[in-house]
C-alpha cells in the first residue's frame, strides 16, 4: 500500500520536455507590472500577483536540493540555495484548478533571476507517472521578462492537475550557484473552449440504492432511498416483462451524518421470483438493475480468489491462465539484505497491492483469511480455478495460500528465526508492468510483527497441510516454532519503522502483544505444548481485537475457542468467548445505527472497505461460536454495501455491478489500461490522504470521500488483504 512518501518518489519520473520558447523582453527594472492580467478573463490561478503578501495557494517541494520561498514586496521570491541533482530538486507549484479536454489555455507570468539560468514550467498530472500535459523551458536573466505558454489540453479532463515550476539543476548542467528567482503576475486563462470535450463523468449517483449484483431468493432485501422529498411508495419492476411485481411502503426517516443526506427504506423481501428488476418511484427515478437469483455471487466468488493468482510474483503468468494480465518472470533477482552486501533469494509470493512490494505482515492476514474460509466450508472450494496447480487434487485456495507461504519461508532468517519485514525496491515503481520494475530489491530488517504473524500462519499451515503434504507441513511447523522462540527470548517487542532510504509501505504496527498471542494460540492448537498455553494465559488481553493487518487479536481468540474443550483453560475460554461476542455485538449495534447498515461508525479510514469486509467476517465468526441470526443479517448488510448499497451508488469490486471502479491505482491495470476484475478497492477515506482526493473531495461527507481515479491511491488502490476478508465473507454469506 502506498503512503505519503510516494510523492517524493514518483516525482523522480518527471522529465522535462523542452519546447520552443515564447518570451517577450522588457526593459523595466522592477518586476511589477509587465504581464498584463486581463481582468475580464477569469484567472484560474489564485494569489497570482502576491498582493496578499503571502504564499497562499503556492506550495514548495525539494528533493536533494534546498531552497526557501516567500513573498517579498508582493513578488514571489525563491532562494535556490542548492539546485540539487535534478530539474525538480527545487520546485514551486500550485494545484486546485481544472484543465478540460479540448480547451486551449494560456499561462503568462513575469520572472527574473539573479543569475542567468534556464528553468522549466509544467502542467502535469498530479500522481501516477506525473507526466506533463504541457511543458516548456525558459531562459531567465537579471532582466524581467514576460513569459507565455499556450497549450491545448489533449488528455481527458483533469480536475486536479499541478502547475510546477522546476528550479533545480537544468538537465545536463552542473549544480548552479546559490541565487534568487522572482515571479509575479501569473495568469492562466481559458483561450478557447469551442472544442471542449464534455466530461464523461456524468452523475452516476442514484437516489435509490440496491446491491447491484442482486439478492438470493430468500434473503432480506432492503432498498435505501435518499432525498428531501420522497414518495410514499416504491415499485419493483421486472425489466423483462416491464410489469410492476411489487409495491411497498417507503418507511423510516434517518438523518445520515456520515453521508450528509436523509435516508428512507423500502423492504421488498417478498419478491422471491428469479429475474431482473429495478426499483422506481415517481420522484426519485430508477435504481440500477439487479437480479434475484441464487447464483448472483458465483462469478465474483471465482474472480476475487483468482485475483491472488494474478498478483503472483517471481513467476511467469501465462496468457492461458492470466489473460490480459499475463507477464514474464518478474522480481527474480536476489535481494540485498538492508545495510549489508548479503544477497538472498526471496522470490515468489504475491504483489501486495497496486505496487509490487511483498510484505510479510499483510501477507499473513491474507493467508489466515484463506485458511479460515477454507475450514469454514471446504466443499465450496474446487480444484479448477485456472491456476498452475489446478487439477492436482488439492483445493486451489490452499495451493494459492501455499504460494505465499513458500515465499514467507524464504523470508525467515535461518539463524535467528526472525522474519524479515518486507522485500521491495527503495522506492515505489512508476506505472509499469511487474517485469519492468528492475530497481534493486532490498530486504528490510527483521521485525517482531512479521515474526509473530509468520509463526501464527505457519502453525495454521501445519494444521491444514498435515493431511495433504506431511513434509511441507512439518517444515512450516518447525519454522513457526523457531519464529516463536525468537520472540519468546525478547524482553520487549518493537514496532517496525522504515529504515533510512526505504519509502515503500511501512505497515508499522507498534503493538506486537497480539501477534505474539496469535502465534502462541496457533502453536498450542497444533502441539498442546504447555509452554505456549502458559504464554496465552499470561498475556491474554482484550486489546487489539481486530482482523486487520495490525490488530490481529480476533484471529487468536477465535482459534483458542476452536481448541478441544479438555485442552483449554475454561475461565480463559469463557472470557475470550465473551470478548468475541462483545466485539460482534458492537459490530451489530453499529450496523443497526448506520444509514446503510454497515458496522463502520462515523470515520472512514484508509481502506474503509476492508473494515466493512472484516466486520462481516467477524459477525460470521461469532455466529459459529454463538449462533445468532442477527449476526448473519448484519454480515449480509455489510456485503450489500460493498456491492452498491452505499452513498456512492458504486459496487466497490471491479468488474461487478453496473458501476464499479475502472481507474484503480493498480499498476498492471494502469499499464494495459484495463481494470483487473475481482478487486475490492479501498473505498471512502475521510482523511483525504493523497493530493487528488484533497483536490476533489475536500467538501464531501466521510462516506462520500471516494473517487474512482488512479491518482487517488488512498481511495482507489487495491490489496490482497482487502480481497481476502471478502473471500471469507462471501463463503459464509
Ligand atoms: Ca505583485
Ligand atoms: Ca489444486
Ligand atoms: Ca498488533
Amino acid at each position: 500500500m502506498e503512503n505519503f512518501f510516494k510523492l517524493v518518489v514518483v516525482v523522480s519520473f518527471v522529465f522535462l520536455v523542452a519546447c520552443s520558447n515564447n518570451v517577450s523582453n522588457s526593459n523595466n527594472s522592477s518586476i511589477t507590472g509587465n504581464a498584463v492580467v486581463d481582468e475580464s478573463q477569469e484567472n484560474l490561478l489564485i494569489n497570482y500577483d502576491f498582493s496578499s503578501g503571502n504564499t497562499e495557494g503556492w506550495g514548495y517541494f525539494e528533493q536533494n536540493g534546498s531552497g526557501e520561498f516567500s513573498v517579498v514586496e508582493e513578488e514571489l521570491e525563491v532562494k535556490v540555495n542548492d539546485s540539487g541533482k535534478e530539474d525538480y530538486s527545487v520546485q514551486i507549484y500550485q494545484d486546485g484548478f481544472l484543465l478540460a479536454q479540448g480547451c486551449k489555455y494560456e499561462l503568462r507570468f513575469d520572472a527574473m533571476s539573479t543569475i542567468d539560468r534556464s528553468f522549466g514550467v509544467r502542467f502535469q498530472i498530479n500522481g501516477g507517472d506525473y507526466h506533463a500535459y504541457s511543458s516548456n523551458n525558459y531562459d531567465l536573466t537579471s532582466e524581467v521578462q514576460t513569459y507565455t505558454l499556450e497549450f491545448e489540453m489533449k488528455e481527458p479532463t483533469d480536475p486536479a492537475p499541478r502547475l510546477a515550476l522546476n528550479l533545480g539543476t537544468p538537465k545536463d548542467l552542473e549544480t548552479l550557484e546559490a541565487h534568487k528567482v522572482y515571479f509575479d503576475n501569473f495568469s492562466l486563462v481559458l483561450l478557447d473552449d469551442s472544442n471542449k470535450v464534455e466530461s464523461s463523468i456524468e452523475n452516476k449517483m442514484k437516489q435509490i440504492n440496491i446491491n447491484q449484483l442482486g439478492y438470493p431468493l430468500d434473503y432480506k432485501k432492503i432498498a435505501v432511498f435518499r432525498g428531501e422529498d420522497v414518495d410514499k411508495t416504491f415499485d419493483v419492476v421486472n425489466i423483462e416483462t416491464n410489469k410492476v411485481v411489487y409495491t411497498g411502503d417507503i418507511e423510516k426517516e434517518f438523518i445520515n451524518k456520515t453521508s450528509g443526506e436523509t435516508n428512507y427504506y423500502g423492504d421488498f423481501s417478498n419478491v422471491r421470483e428469479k429475474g431482473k428488476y429495478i426499483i422506481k418511484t415517481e420522484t426519485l427515478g430508477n435504481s440500477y438493475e439487479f437480479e434475484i437469483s441464487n447464483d448472483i455471487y458465483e462469478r465474483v466468488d471465482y474472480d476475487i480468489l483468482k485475483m491472488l493468482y494474478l498478483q503472483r510474483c517471481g513467476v511467469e503468468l501465462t496468457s492461458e491462465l492470466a489473460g490480459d494480465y499475463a507477464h514474464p518472470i518478474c522480481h527474480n533477482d536476489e535481494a540485498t539484505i538492508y545495510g549489508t552486501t548479503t544477497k538472498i533469494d526471496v522470490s515468489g509470493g504475491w504483489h501486495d497491492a497496486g505496487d509490487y512490494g511483498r510484505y510479510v505482515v499483510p501477507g499473513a492476514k491474507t493467508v489466515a483469511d484463506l485458511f479460515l474460509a477454507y475450514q469454514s466450508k471446504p466443499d465450496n472450494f474446487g480444484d479448477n480455478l485456472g491456476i498452475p496447480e489446478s487439477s492436482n487434487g488439492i483445493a486451489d485456495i490452499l495451493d494459492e495460500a501455499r504460494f505465499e507461504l513458500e515465499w514467507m519461508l524464504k523470508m525467515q532468517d535461518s539463524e535467528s528465526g526472525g522474519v524479515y519485514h518486507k522485500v521491495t525496491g527503495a522506492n515505489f515503481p512508476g506505472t509499469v508492468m511487474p517485469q519492468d520494475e528492475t530497481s534493486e530489491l532490498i530486504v528490510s530488517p527483521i521485525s517482531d510483527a512479521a515474526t509473530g504473524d509468520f509463526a501464527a500462519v505457519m502453525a495454521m499451515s501445519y494444521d491444514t497441510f498435515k493431511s495433504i503434504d506431511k513434509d511441507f507441513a512439518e517444515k512450516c511447523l518447525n519454522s513457526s516454532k523457531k519464529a516463536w522462540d525468537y520472540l519468546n527470548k525478547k524482553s520487549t517487542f518493537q514496532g517496525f519503522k522504515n529504515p533510512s532510504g526505504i519509502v515503500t509501505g511501512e505497515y508499522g504496527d507498534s503493538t506486537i502483544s497480539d501477534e505474539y498471542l496469535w502465534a502462541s494460540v496457533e502453536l498450542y492448537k497444533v502441539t498442546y505444548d504447555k509452554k505456549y498455553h502458559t504464554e496465552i494465559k499470561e498475556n491474554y488481553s482484550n486489546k487489539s481485537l481486530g482482523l486487520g493487518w495490525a490488530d490481529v487479536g480476533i484471529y487468536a481468540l477465535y482459534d483458542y475457542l476452536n481448541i478441544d474443550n479438555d485442552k483449554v483453560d475454561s475461565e480463559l475460554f469463557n472470557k475470550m468467548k465473551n470478548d468475541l461476542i462483545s466485539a460482534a455485538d458492537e459490530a451489530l449495534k453499529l450496523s443497526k445505527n448506520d444509514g446503510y447498515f454497515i458496522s463502520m461508525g462515523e470515520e472512514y479510514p484508509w481502506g474503509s472497505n476492508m473494515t466493512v469486509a472484516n466486520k462481516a467476517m467477524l459477525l460470521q465468526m461469532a455466529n459459529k461460536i454463538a449462533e445468532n441470526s442477527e449476526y448473519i443479517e448484519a454480515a449480509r448488510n455489510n456485503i450489500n454495501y460493498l456491492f452498491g448499497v452505499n452513498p456512492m451508488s458504486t459496487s466497490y469490486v471491479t468488474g461487478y455491478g453496473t458501476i464499479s471502479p475502472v481507474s484503480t491505482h493498480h499498476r498492471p491495470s494502469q499499464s494495459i489500461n484495463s481494470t483487473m476484475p475481482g478487486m475490492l478497492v479501498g473505498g471512502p477515506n475521510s482523511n483525504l490522504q493523497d493530493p487528488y482526493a484533497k483536490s476533489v473531495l475536500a467538501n464531501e461527507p466521510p462516506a462520500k470521500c471516494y473517487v474512482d481515479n488512479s491518482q487517488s491511491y488512498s481511495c482507489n488502490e487495491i490489496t490482497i488483504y482487502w480481497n481476502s476478508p471478502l473471500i471469507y465473507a462471501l463463503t459464509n454469506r
Side-chain angles (χ1 to χ4, degrees):
M1 191 172 73
E2 314 245 331
N3 58 26
F4 296 115
F5 291 107
K6 182 171 185 299
L7 178 65
V8 179
V9 176
V10 187
V11 167
S12 64
F13 293 92
V14 169
F15 298 103
L16 268 184
V17 182
C19 303
S20 65
N21 280 6
N22 201 354
V23 170
S24 63
N25 287 313
S26 152
N27 296 323
N28 290 11
S29 56
S30 159
I31 192 165
T32 307
N34 284 334
V36 178
V37 176
D38 182 349
E39 300 291 347
S40 69
Q41 282 179 297
E42 189 194 358
N43 194 336
L44 302 175
L45 301 175
I46 61 166
N47 195 14
Y48 46 81
D49 63 2
F50 308 99
S51 56
S52 64
N54 60 48
T55 59
E56 189 199 340
W58 295 88
Y60 171 77
F61 167 85
E62 66 179 38
Q63 185 184 18
N64 306 317
S66 83
E68 293 162 61
F69 86 130
S70 60
V71 170
V72 177
E73 293 179 4
E74 301 193 2
E75 291 171 3
L76 184 70
E77 178 186 271
V78 186
K79 287 184 185 163
V80 181
N81 300 326
D82 174 357
S83 63
K85 295 177 192 149
E86 310 285 352
D87 48 13
Y88 54 81
S89 288
V90 174
Q91 191 185 63
I92 303 295
Y93 62 85
Q94 185 167 131
D95 303 336
F97 51 94
L98 175 146
L99 295 177
Q101 186 171 13
C103 290
K104 288 193 176 128
Y105 297 89
E106 184 196 63
L107 174 73
R108 185 176 277 269
F109 59 93
D110 295 336
M112 62 165 284
S113 166
T114 54
I115 62 166
D116 289 358
R117 63 158 298 169
S118 72
F119 89 111
V121 173
R122 299 165 55 87
F123 286 94
Q124 65 187 32
I125 190 170
N126 195 13
D129 62 359
Y130 290 86
H131 71 266
Y133 297 128
S134 177
S135 67
N136 205 350
N137 276 3
Y138 301 92
D139 291 322
L140 293 174
T141 66
S142 58
E143 221 170 316
V144 180
Q145 297 175 77
T146 298
Y147 301 83
T148 59
L149 173 60
E150 229 184 273
F151 67 99
E152 182 185 338
M153 178 61 176
K154 296 203 166 119
E155 296 188 41
T157 296
D158 186 343
R162 167 166 291 185
L163 165 62
L165 311 171
N166 282 341
L167 294 166
T169 304
K171 235 167 220 358
D172 305 323
L173 289 184
E174 299 289 306
T175 308
L176 305 173
E177 64 186 280
H179 63 283
K180 292 179 195 169
V181 181
Y182 292 89
F183 294 100
D184 202 359
N185 303 321
F186 281 92
S187 85
L188 174 63
V189 296
L190 176 63
L191 289 182
D192 181 1
D193 64 358
S194 56
N195 293 315
K196 182 175 175 182
V197 178
E198 284 308 322
S199 172
S200 61
I201 310 165
E202 83 235 50
N203 192 356
K204 290 169 179 162
M205 307 275 237
K206 289 283 187 184
Q207 302 302 96
I208 307 172
N209 285 303
I210 40 77
N211 181 324
Q212 293 173 24
L213 296 194
Y215 303 83
L217 276 52
D218 294 330
Y219 277 34
K220 197 166 178 180
K221 308 171 190 80
I222 309 277
V224 180
F225 303 85
R226 59 179 159 195
E228 293 312 315
D229 186 21
V230 302
D231 317 69
K232 297 245 179 314
T233 62
F234 67 93
D235 290 336
V236 181
V237 181
N238 182 315
I239 58 169
E240 277 143 5
T241 63
N242 209 20
K243 290 224 165 74
V244 174
V245 299
Y246 182 79
T247 298
D249 292 333
I250 297 178
E251 298 173 312
K252 284 187 285 184
E253 184 186 75
F254 182 86
I255 309 297
N256 191 335
K257 279 189 204 145
T258 62
S259 59
E261 60 192 31
T262 306
N263 293 133
Y264 302 84
Y265 305 93
D267 189 333
F268 58 104
S269 305
N270 286 337
V271 183
R272 292 197 174 87
E273 199 171 325
K274 196 168 167 4
K276 288 185 177 163
Y277 303 88
I278 54 161
I279 288 176
K280 69 178 195 186
T281 81
E282 217 153 278
T283 57
L284 301 181
N286 293 353
S287 71
Y288 285 123
E289 184 184 317
F290 61 94
E291 209 175 334
I292 292 182
S293 159
N294 288 335
D295 311 331
I296 54 159
Y297 291 114
E298 210 165 82
R299 215 162 50 87
V300 73
D301 279 340
Y302 169 88
D303 268 338
I304 55 175
L305 183 55
K306 180 79 183 243
M307 172 266 193
L308 294 173
Y309 167 70
L310 297 175
Q311 293 285 106
R312 282 191 189 188
C313 181
V315 289
E316 181 192 3
L317 301 191
T318 63
S319 52
E320 188 198 346
L321 299 180
D324 292 346
Y325 304 95
H327 64 75
I329 276 190
C330 62
H331 302 100
N332 227 29
D333 292 340
E334 289 197 321
T336 307
I337 297 175
Y338 182 84
T340 74
T341 53
T342 309
K343 286 185 178 284
I344 57 171
D345 168 31
V346 285
S347 56
W350 301 307
H351 300 136
D352 176 59
D355 64 317
Y356 299 126
R358 287 162 289 146
Y359 309 79
V360 170
V361 165
K365 169 182 165 52
T366 312
V367 168
D369 292 344
L370 298 189
F371 281 147
L372 290 167
Y374 175 74
Q375 285 158 18
S376 67
K377 287 196 180 156
D379 294 343
N380 274 24
F381 295 97
D383 192 15
N384 55 358
L385 190 66
I387 62 174
E389 301 81 7
S390 290
S391 306
N392 67 352
I394 298 164
D396 285 344
I397 190 173
L398 299 182
D399 291 317
E400 206 48 63
R402 180 169 175 165
F403 188 82
E404 180 79 349
L405 291 160
E406 297 274 14
W407 164 71
M408 279 192 191
L409 288 167
K410 297 179 185 175
M411 292 292 282
Q412 185 175 38
D413 172 35
S414 55
E415 227 159 274
S416 67
V419 177
Y420 297 110
H421 195 71
K422 61 175 175 177
V423 55
T424 67
N427 298 321
F428 286 113
T431 308
V432 296
M433 284 297 278
Q435 69 275 15
D436 296 325
E437 187 193 20
T438 53
S439 58
E440 186 190 16
L441 292 170
I442 302 165
V443 176
S444 282
I446 288 170
S447 78
D448 293 343
T451 307
D453 286 334
F454 173 99
V457 294
M458 285 299 165
M460 290 175 91
S461 175
Y462 169 78
D463 207 14
T464 306
F465 279 99
K466 63 184 191 256
S467 57
I468 297 169
D469 182 341
K470 201 155 183 2
D471 289 346
F472 176 68
E474 291 290 347
K475 189 176 174 187
C476 291
L477 182 60
N478 290 334
S479 303
S480 169
K481 288 175 178 172
K482 246 179 128 165
W484 187 89
D485 289 342
Y486 172 91
L487 290 180
N488 183 247
K489 277 183 215 140
K490 300 194 78 163
S491 51
T492 53
F493 298 136
Q494 265 152 6
F496 175 83
K497 287 266 168 266
N498 262 336
S500 166
I502 306 266
V503 303
T504 48
E506 186 166 72
Y507 292 108
D509 172 19
S510 58
T511 305
I512 315 298
S513 49
D514 50 327
E515 282 77 10
Y516 183 58
L517 175 78
W518 185 23
S520 303
V521 167
E522 298 301 345
L523 274 163
Y524 181 61
K525 186 165 179 266
V526 296
T527 63
Y528 297 137
D529 186 330
K530 287 199 178 63
K531 74 177 176 191
Y532 303 122
H533 205 195
T534 305
E535 295 297 323
I536 298 166
K537 285 187 277 193
E538 282 177 7
N539 293 310
Y540 180 70
S541 92
N542 58 4
K543 300 280 182 323
S544 304
L545 287 188
L547 291 165
W549 57 264
D551 291 343
V552 298
I554 293 285
Y555 291 107
L557 187 158
Y558 180 75
D559 264 352
Y560 190 79
L561 297 177
N562 279 307
I563 293 172
D564 287 347
N565 269 349
D566 60 332
K567 301 288 188 194
V568 295
D569 178 288
S570 58
E571 201 180 316
L572 183 60
F573 181 95
N574 288 331
K575 185 171 176 358
M576 286 194 184
K577 189 171 169 183
N578 285 337
D579 288 341
L580 181 69
I581 289 170
S582 296
D585 285 346
E586 177 62 25
L588 179 60
K589 193 171 135 200
L590 284 169
S591 160
K592 285 180 173 173
N593 291 321
D594 185 87
Y596 288 84
F597 310 118
I598 57 168
S599 310
M600 177 63 74
E602 289 180 5
E603 296 294 310
Y604 281 65
W606 194 323
S608 62
N609 283 342
M610 176 191 75
T611 307
V612 176
N614 277 348
K615 291 291 170 75
M617 184 172 169
L618 165 68
L619 287 156
Q620 293 164 337
M621 289 163 92
N623 181 64
K624 292 180 197 303
I625 301 295
E627 216 169 293
N628 182 342
S629 61
E630 280 197 305
Y631 291 165
I632 292 300
E633 206 51 59
R636 286 178 184 170
N637 284 331
N638 278 285
I639 294 169
N640 286 335
Y641 168 94
L642 296 176
F643 288 101
V645 187
N646 60 58
M648 297 304 298
S649 307
T650 292
S651 162
Y652 288 117
V653 178
T654 55
Y656 288 87
T658 310
I659 301 297
S660 66
V662 293
S663 181
T664 52
H665 186 84
H666 177 243
R667 283 167 179 76
S669 298
Q670 291 169 268
S671 296
I672 66 166
N673 204 19
S674 168
T675 304
M676 187 185 282
M679 307 188 292
L680 178 64
V681 300
N685 173 2
S686 49
N687 299 320
L688 305 182
Q689 285 166 290
D690 64 70
Y692 193 91
K694 278 192 176 77
S695 294
V696 300
L697 301 173
N699 300 314
E700 296 296 335
K704 288 181 179 162
C705 286
Y706 171 75
V707 58
D708 177 17
N709 188 288
S710 59
Q711 291 177 63
S712 183
Y713 51 86
S714 77
C715 290
N716 220 29
E717 193 171 358
I718 59 86
T719 73
I720 53 173
Y721 60 95
W722 297 342
N723 264 45
S724 62
L726 184 60
I727 291 169
Y728 183 95
L730 286 187
T731 303
N732 292 282
R733 61 188 172 243

